[in-house]
């Protein structure tokens, strides 16, 4: 949560920073702010509540001339969204400005101590404590900014990615990280920093991912220096970015969410590429192949994740149990860490996270590793924390997902989990070569099948008009499509703010059926699979109580068609691959309902894409 960006070079810092903030806005949009060190050494700080465009309006008539600066887009934790709580925060004497992504857990203790020394605070944030502490140390120890930052970081407990600039020094930015992402971009005579590489990808492809406990010293006309908190210099490992600018733009679509829904044939192709080979006969997941023994001997797999990733994880459970005959448990990462987990060396923990930065999932990774489990990460963001903290893993390769509501990452995660299950099943001999080849062949066809499903777009747009003003929705599914129902409900509530509940269809009769009446539409995911007859009964039960039904069915279905009010037909695929197909109409339905209600689908209220706080 929160995005930070910094620039030092010969260009116009304001332009780079504002553009960078727009790219990072998916991380939070409660307020935005910028600090610029002007050529005459003046420190200009501008802030505004709300989205980055509000900040731009405020800055229109201000002096923004500078070649160094830092900026921030906020997802509020400590203190309501307001101009005053917006970053950058500055020290009492206005000498330093600081931006921060993370949470300072012992801020109250530090604040009390600083207040005793006469320090005055203006905001309710934890961040202001950090900048005041740095300034206090700097003055009292008569030391450099770097030394003061290092000393202050020894005193803080919590998570941070920070950047600090100083009045009268237009040649320096000090940045540091602990449990919040920070990447430095190295250009020609210019250096960038940001929460992810998107703000600087058009300027340079050379990036240095900071590790926990590292401080970056960015100085004009000097090479980047990285030190640890004990002042030892770290080796600089420059990585080449794979991200491209077109991936960060809407490309003619009205929103990132719609673009990302329509990208799924391409993203699935990327996800499969090089992994399902020889016309589908072989599946290669290098992170599994390179740790063969672990997967051969595993007694249990525990998958930890949050939100949409947790829904994909549930599908992973069905996949792995069916194909590999290994017991799988799926845990909310946020609960896992406080549930006294029992893990050992024969357990594999899979951490599933699009962003690779979700604080709870990252914490679960650390606990699992400390208990001796083998930890496998599945992520989308290359170079993010989870892939760097796990023993092995696989990327989903769907490109940056910017819409806050996850769509292409979900189908990418399910696809990677399918391929992982097949690779493990191959190793353990729980699927035959013919079974693998049969599934592999369909996997290769999935991008075209998804393209076919996307042709439902216009029909779903029309259908959405009928349901836009429903106040509650029920989503039902069974087996592999029970998690799809959960995901459909989450998609609807997060972008349209309509209450929706996902349920295993058979559970309906144990309570939720009481809710059914003419006002409560049910979305029932009912492709032709081994539970089809059973779900037909559930459809009838809803109908018998006067509920209206939108059903996702297999092409040619003639039974549910006669009961449901509306059917959306999808192509027939093997049961284990059906979630990738059935989830897409649900993405489109929630998208159009939210659009009809005039909601901002890319930046829904109160949410942020990357949840880096507990
Ligand atoms: O980056 P992660 O996959 O770890 O994120 C987990 C959730 O925060 C995320 O899936 C969230 O639920 C999405 N907004 C759902 O669309």
């Amino acid at each position: 949560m929160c995005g930070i960006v910094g620039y030092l070079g010969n260009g116009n810092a304001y332009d780079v920073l504002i553009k960078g903030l727009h790219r990072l806005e998916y991380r939070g949009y409660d307020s935005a702010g910028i600090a610029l060190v002007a050529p005459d050494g003046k420190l200009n700080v501008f802030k505004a509540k709300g989205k980055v465009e509000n900040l731009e309006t405020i800055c229109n008539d201000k002096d923004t001339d500078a070649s160094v600066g830092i900026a921030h887009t906020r997802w509020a934790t400590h203190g309501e969204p307001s101009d005053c709580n917006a970053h950058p925060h500055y020290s009492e004497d206005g000498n330093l400005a600081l931006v921060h992504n993370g949470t300072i857990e012992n801020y109250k203790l530090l604040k009390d101590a600083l207040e005793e020394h006469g320090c005055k605070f203006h905001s309710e944030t934890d961040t202001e404590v950090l900048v005041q502490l740095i300034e206090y140390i700097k003055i009292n120890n008569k030391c450099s900014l770097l030394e003061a930052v290092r000393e202050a970081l020894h005193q803080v407990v919590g998570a941070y990615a920070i950047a600090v600039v100083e009045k009268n020094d237009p040649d320096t930015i000090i940045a540091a990280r602990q449990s919040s992402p920070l990447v430095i971009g190295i250009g020609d005579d210019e250096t960038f920093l940001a929460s992810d590489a998107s703000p600087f990808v058009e300027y340079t492809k050379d990036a240095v991912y900071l590790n926990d406990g590292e401080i970056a010293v960015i100085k004009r006309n000097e090479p980047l220096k990285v030190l640890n908190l004990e002042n030892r210099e770290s080796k600089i490992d420059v990585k080449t970015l794979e991200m491209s600018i077109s991936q960060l733009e809407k490309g003619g679509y009205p929103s990132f969410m719609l673009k990302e829904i329509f990208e799924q044939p391409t993203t699935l192709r990327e996800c499969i590429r090089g992994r399902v080979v020889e016309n589908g006969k072989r599946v290669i997941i290098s992170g599994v192949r390179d740790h063969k023994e672990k997967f051969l001997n595993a007694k249990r797999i525990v998958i930890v994740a949050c939100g949409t990733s947790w829904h994909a994880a549930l599908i992973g459970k069905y996949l792995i149990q069916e194909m590999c005959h290994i017991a799988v448990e799926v845990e909310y990462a946020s609960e896992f860490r406080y549930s006294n987990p029992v893990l050992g060396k024969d357990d594999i923990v899979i951490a599933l996270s699009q962003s690779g930065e979700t604080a709870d999932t990252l914490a679960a990774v650390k606990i699992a590793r400390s208990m001796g489990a083998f930890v496998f990460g599945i992520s989308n963001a290359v170079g993010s924390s989870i892939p760097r903290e796990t023993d092995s893993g696989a990327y989903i390769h769907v490109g940056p997902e910017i819409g806050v509501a996850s769509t292409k990452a979900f189908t990418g995660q399910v696809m990677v989990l399918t391929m992982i299950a097949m690779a493990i099943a191959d190793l353990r001999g729980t699927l035959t070569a013919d079974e693998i080849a049969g599934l592999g062949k369909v996997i290769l066809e999935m991008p075209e099948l998804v393209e076919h499903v996307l042709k439902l777009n216009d029909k779903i747009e029309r259908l959405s008009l009928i349901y836009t003003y429903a106040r509650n929705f029920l989503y039902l599914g069974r087996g592999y499509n029970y998690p799809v129902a959960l995901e459909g409900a989450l998609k609807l509530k997060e972008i349209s703010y309509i209450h929706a509940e996902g349920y295993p269809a058979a559970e309906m009769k144990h309570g939720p059926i009481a809710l059914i009446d003419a006002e409560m539409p049910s979305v029932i995911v009912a492709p032709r699979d081994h539970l089809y007859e059973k779900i037909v009964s559930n459809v009838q039960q809803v109908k018998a109580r006067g509920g209206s039904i939108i059903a996702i069915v297999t092409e040619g279905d003639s039974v549910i068609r006669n009961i449901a009010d509306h059917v959306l037909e999808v192509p027939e695929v093997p049961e284990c691959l059906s979630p990738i197909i059935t989830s897409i109409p649900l993405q489109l339905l929630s998208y159009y309902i939210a659009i009809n209600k005039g909601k901002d689908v890319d930046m829904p209220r109160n949410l942020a894409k990357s949840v880096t706080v507990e």
Side-chain angles (χ1 to χ4, degrees):
M1 330 284 304
C2 299
I4 68 170
V5 55
Y7 174 78
L8 193 157
N10 298 323
N12 182 318
Y14 175 79
D15 290 348
V16 175
L17 294 174
I18 290 289
K19 209 195 244 183
L21 284 184
H22 277 297
R23 298 253 169 88
L24 293 179
E25 222 171 357
Y26 73 88
R27 303 179 69 89
Y29 28 82
D30 288 333
S31 64
I34 192 165
L36 300 160
V37 187
D40 61 1
K42 216 168 139 214
L43 184 57
N44 291 318
V45 180
F46 309 115
K47 319 175 184 197
K49 182 179 164 186
K51 294 185 179 160
V52 177
E53 59 192 30
N54 297 357
L55 175 66
E56 283 179 276
T57 310
I58 282 187
C59 289
N60 267 342
D61 58 353
K62 301 286 187 316
D63 176 11
T64 56
D65 181 29
S67 60
V68 58
I70 54 176
H72 186 272
T73 178
R74 179 169 187 245
W75 187 84
T77 56
H78 295 65
E80 59 169 7
S82 67
D83 289 358
C84 175
N85 288 331
H87 301 216
H89 288 285
Y90 35 88
S91 51
E92 181 69 6
D93 56 6
N95 190 44
L96 304 179
L98 177 145
V99 289
H100 168 218
N101 167 30
T103 311
I104 307 299
E105 286 167 17
N106 59 342
Y107 82 100
K108 187 73 182 70
L109 211 76
L110 295 169
K111 190 172 181 176
D112 291 347
L114 286 165
E115 276 175 336
E116 269 179 33
H117 287 98
C119 224
K120 294 211 167 29
F121 287 86
H122 307 279
S123 77
E124 302 152 88
T125 66
D126 51 336
T127 303
E128 192 186 355
V129 175
L130 184 51
V131 69
Q132 301 271 32
L133 177 66
I134 295 171
E135 182 66 350
Y136 179 83
I137 294 170
K138 192 170 177 296
I139 292 171
N140 284 278
N141 295 6
K142 297 191 177 52
C143 62
S144 68
L145 176 60
L146 170 62
E147 284 161 347
V149 168
R150 196 174 53 237
E151 174 53 32
L153 295 183
H154 274 293
Q155 296 188 29
V156 302
V157 177
Y160 54 77
I162 56 162
V164 199
V165 287
E166 187 172 13
K167 187 172 158 181
N168 294 324
D169 185 0
D171 298 327
T172 310
I173 304 179
I174 304 292
R177 98 157 243 177
Q178 178 64 45
S179 305
S180 290
L182 192 57
V183 54
I184 315 279
I186 303 177
D188 292 334
D189 300 324
E190 53 188 1
T191 309
F192 309 81
L193 67 89
S195 300
D196 71 35
S198 62
F200 57 78
V201 69
E202 69 251 61
Y203 308 105
T204 179
K205 295 277 185 213
D206 292 339
V208 176
Y209 291 88
L210 235 55
N211 293 310
D212 279 349
E214 284 184 335
I215 302 180
V217 182
I218 300 166
K219 283 210 170 272
R220 198 177 294 279
N221 304 325
E222 284 182 26
L224 171 72
K225 213 186 216 182
V226 176
L227 306 161
N228 68 11
L229 290 186
E230 272 61 57
N231 209 21
R232 267 193 308 277
E233 214 166 320
S234 311
K235 193 172 161 286
I236 294 192
D237 181 13
V238 182
K239 298 260 190 274
T240 306
L241 296 174
E242 284 169 17
M243 199 185 278
S244 75
I245 249 310
S246 63
Q247 291 176 315
L248 304 171
E249 287 167 351
K250 289 186 192 157
Y253 285 92
S255 65
F256 280 109
M257 184 177 173
L258 195 62
K259 176 189 176 219
E260 286 158 7
I261 291 174
F262 273 86
E263 266 177 354
Q264 289 175 104
T266 312
T267 55
L268 285 169
R269 221 168 264 127
E270 283 303 303
C271 176
I272 297 162
R273 194 153 59 94
R275 287 167 163 169
V276 177
V277 295
E278 296 172 21
N279 281 331
K281 290 199 188 78
R282 282 186 61 219
V283 179
I284 305 166
I285 299 290
S286 53
V288 172
R289 183 199 54 201
D290 299 347
H291 298 273
K292 221 168 155 172
E293 294 304 316
K294 287 282 172 197
F295 287 92
L296 274 171
N297 299 327
K299 299 267 181 300
R300 179 174 67 141
I301 292 181
V302 180
I303 315 184
V304 290
C306 300
T308 288
S309 297
W310 188 83
H311 298 152
L314 267 189
I315 297 170
K317 170 180 171 141
Y318 285 84
L319 288 163
I320 296 169
Q321 293 197 159
E322 182 187 347
M323 294 188 200
C324 316
H325 311 167
I326 307 175
V328 180
E329 288 165 24
V330 178
E331 301 269 0
Y332 285 113
S334 52
E335 288 300 319
F336 174 81
R337 55 194 294 197
Y338 299 114
S339 66
N340 303 310
V342 180
L343 291 169
K345 63 174 180 35
D346 293 333
D347 293 317
I348 292 179
V349 171
I350 298 181
L352 190 56
S353 169
Q354 184 285 130
S355 62
E357 299 293 351
T358 298
D360 289 319
T361 314
L362 195 52
V365 165
K366 289 180 181 160
I367 293 168
R369 287 195 80 189
S370 74
M371 297 183 81
F374 177 78
V375 184
F376 190 94
I378 301 177
S379 174
N380 187 31
V382 176
S384 57
S385 299
I386 289 175
R388 291 187 306 136
E389 301 254 348
T390 39
D391 297 301
S392 179
Y395 283 113
I396 61 172
H397 291 308
V398 300
E401 188 180 66
I402 294 165
V404 164
S406 190
T407 52
K408 64 176 181 174
F410 174 75
T411 49
Q413 288 171 331
V414 176
M415 183 54 90
V416 163
L417 285 163
T418 310
M419 294 186 290
I420 287 173
M422 290 167 75
I424 303 174
D426 189 20
L427 275 178
R428 295 170 73 113
T430 47
L431 282 184
T432 65
D434 282 352
E435 285 167 328
I436 290 178
L439 272 181
K441 189 167 167 297
V442 187
I443 288 181
L444 294 174
E445 290 163 6
M446 288 299 277
E448 281 73 41
L449 294 169
V450 167
E451 218 151 284
H452 182 72
V453 179
L454 287 167
K455 295 203 174 105
L456 288 169
N457 179 66
D458 295 355
K459 182 171 180 182
I460 295 174
E461 187 176 4
R462 287 193 298 276
L463 181 62
S464 70
L465 293 168
I466 305 173
Y467 292 99
T468 297
Y469 296 101
R471 310 251 329 248
N472 300 285
F473 269 83
L474 197 58
Y475 281 71
L476 302 171
R478 299 192 76 149
Y480 279 105
N481 284 290
Y482 151 53
V484 172
L486 296 182
E487 174 60 8
L490 176 65
K491 279 303 75 95
L492 186 72
K493 59 190 151 196
E494 70 180 327
I495 58 170
S496 72
Y497 318 145
I498 296 174
H499 169 247
E501 285 199 48
Y503 255 92
E507 276 296 301
M508 183 185 61
K509 57 186 175 293
H510 299 288
I513 198 164
L515 296 168
I516 301 227
D517 63 13
E519 308 291 304
M520 171 87 157
S522 296
V523 179
I524 307 185
V525 192
R528 208 177 297 115
D529 58 19
H530 82 287
L531 293 167
Y532 180 73
E533 301 304 334
K534 296 186 188 296
I535 206 160
V536 169
S537 308
N538 302 133
V539 174
Q540 268 157 342
Q541 288 155 9
V542 174
K543 200 67 216 164
R545 280 145 189 94
S548 64
I549 297 168
I550 302 169
I552 315 297
V553 298
T554 306
E555 279 170 358
D557 181 289
S558 56
V559 179
I560 294 183
R561 162 184 302 283
N562 290 323
I563 316 170
D565 298 79
H566 308 276
V567 289
L568 296 167
E569 292 182 274
V570 295
E572 180 147 25
V573 291
E575 203 165 322
C576 64
L577 290 170
S578 66
I580 294 173
I581 296 287
T582 53
S583 57
I584 288 168
L586 304 190
Q587 296 170 351
L588 286 167
L589 184 65
S590 51
Y591 174 82
Y592 283 114
I593 290 179
I595 291 292
N596 299 342
K597 290 176 75 112
K599 304 298 178 204
D600 181 342
V601 293
D602 285 341
M603 290 187 244
R605 73 181 178 206
N606 304 340
L607 290 174
K609 185 78 184 157
S610 187
V611 185
T612 55
V613 294
E614 206 184 316

